[in-house]
Amino acid sequence: MGLLTRPGTATAAAALLLAVTCVPASAAARPAPSTSSASALSATSPSSAAQPSGSRASSPDCGTHTSVRRALRTLTEDDRLAGAAGAVTDPVCGRWSAATGTADLGTGRPMNARDRLRAGSVTKTFTATVVLQLAAERRVELDAPVARYLPGLIGADGYDGRKITVRQLLQHTSGLPDYLDAPEWEHIERLRYRHFAPRELIARALTLPHPDTPPGSRFHYATTNYLIAGLIVRQVTGDSAESEVTRRIIRPLGLRDTYWPGDDPRLHGPHSHSYFTADQDAPRTDGTDWNTTFGGVGGALVSSPADLQRFFAALLGGRLLPAAQLAQMQRTVAADPDRLWPGARYGLGLISSPLPCGGLWWGHAGTVPGGHRALGAVGPGGRRVAVALNQVPPTEKAEDDFRAVVETALCEGR
């Protein structure tokens, strides 16, 4: 999800779940890792990269990437996060990566940009892409009401599926509440190993107070929207949205690190551990093992920086959607800066954000309660970046520093 929260509120803990951004207004810096911080930089030869539609940029000065490495070190040395890594691919400069801090505080293994992590709400872009593929196949109509596909699902407590469209689900303008705002999510650690079914979570959302957002009126981020979209995919195709994402995206693109964990709380393959704290003064807790069925097709995917780069390059390069549907995906509305950040806009499962060097990046970010944070983006000229953290930024400054890594990587040499 995309919530900025304040400590002590009823939604403070829930806001960590599947967040695009999740920033307490103030929190004390965490203790530094007990192991020494490690930093690494690697590079390979140039490779091709897709260029997002409508963007042009002159050839960059490839440089030494010192500014990006410095921005990453700020996260671990100043903001005291456990580990941070970034991977960049440029059509001219090739591929390179940098990392700082610790991937596993128990062993002291250094952070790197190859490890798998939980992608959180980056999952939403995968799900939205499948819905838009179905729209291109004329099996789903974006401006049709949800009730056409799921009659009776939304029809209680004043919510009406006949007035909410598929487009509004994908754009978070449906006016539906987020099930993660329910009081029980304030203590997320109590639900760590529990299985959740989509209809259970949707039904819980419909018991919550109405947001002041009638359908189509304005942006209100809610993972509820994507669980409903996933049920539409199942209704239309006869198969789960997870299976359709795998068949249509993960396998064709060869995303070997990307998979649905289901009820398995463990991460498989090389991965960073993730860490969270119960409050600002508490020690870090290992949150790597977690049942993420609560996120489903809105936040459960496991991936890696390399796979996220490949996915967003394919999407924005026109390999996954026809031009008409990609244009629909990039039709944005203003996002609430309290739920994303100033200047951010939201399309159909896609975020646009202005760059200090001009132009926009397109992509998505996500957070899970155990502490993993992922972001994948493509900037002007086709340069793409993926950033991985294994602890959620605890302050507004740290959150700004996280986005600064993305902006620095995409603006370097321009």
Side-chain angles (χ1 to χ4, degrees), residues 264-282:
D264 190 346
R266 299 167 298 169
L267 282 174
H268 295 276
H271 61 273
S272 61
H273 284 236
S274 59
Y275 301 94
F276 71 100
T277 57
D279 59 61
Q280 64 185 39
D281 298 317

Side-chain angles (χ1 to χ4, degrees), residues 359-397:
L360 302 169
W361 65 253
W362 291 91
H364 213 290
T367 302
V368 291
H372 273 140
R373 162 75 64 85
L375 187 147
V378 179
R383 183 182 294 178
R384 57 192 191 259
V385 61
V387 180
L389 305 181
N390 62 349
Q391 184 180 347
V392 177
T395 65
E396 288 187 33
K397 176 189 177 299

Side-chain angles (χ1 to χ4, degrees), residues 13-14 16-17 184-192 290 369:
L16 287 173
L17 307 177
E184 59 266 27
W185 292 98
E186 185 174 358
H187 302 286
I188 53 176
E189 67 281 358
R190 299 176 185 175
L191 305 173
R192 182 168 173 172
W290 209 290

Side-chain angles (χ1 to χ4, degrees), residues 286-321:
D286 191 311
T288 311
D289 290 352
W290 209 290
N291 185 321
T292 54
T293 54
F294 72 88
V297 297
L301 272 179
V302 174
S303 193
S304 68
D307 276 8
L308 294 181
Q309 280 197 31
R310 188 173 300 152
F311 166 66
F312 280 108
L315 174 62
L316 293 160
R319 291 177 56 196
L320 294 175
L321 292 174

Side-chain angles (χ1 to χ4, degrees), residues 70-97:
R70 184 185 304 116
L72 284 167
R73 286 198 303 270
T74 295
L75 289 166
T76 55
E77 295 176 5
D78 296 348
D79 301 320
R80 303 302 180 95
L81 301 187
V88 181
T89 301
D90 184 271
V92 175
C93 300
R95 298 188 299 271
W96 63 273
S97 64

Side-chain angles (χ1 to χ4, degrees), residues 215-299:
S217 62
R218 64 183 178 89
F219 177 87
H220 178 79
Y221 196 97
T223 300
T224 308
N225 292 312
Y226 275 75
L227 298 192
I228 297 170
L231 293 182
I232 292 174
V233 171
R234 177 182 282 279
Q235 181 66 27
V236 169
T237 67
D239 210 345
S240 69
E242 289 90 343
S243 295
E244 290 296 310
V245 167
T246 300
R247 183 177 71 85
R248 293 168 175 264
I249 300 174
I250 295 174
R251 287 177 183 160
L253 293 182
L255 304 182
R256 296 182 178 88
D257 294 322
T258 303
Y259 70 93
W260 298 100
D263 276 306
D264 190 346
R266 299 167 298 169
L267 282 174
H268 295 276
H271 61 273
S272 61
H273 284 236
S274 59
Y275 301 94
F276 71 100
T277 57
D279 59 61
Q280 64 185 39
D281 298 317
R284 292 188 183 98
T285 298
D286 191 311
T288 311
D289 290 352
W290 209 290
N291 185 321
T292 54
T293 54
F294 72 88
V297 297

Side-chain angles (χ1 to χ4, degrees), residues 67 135 295:
S67 58

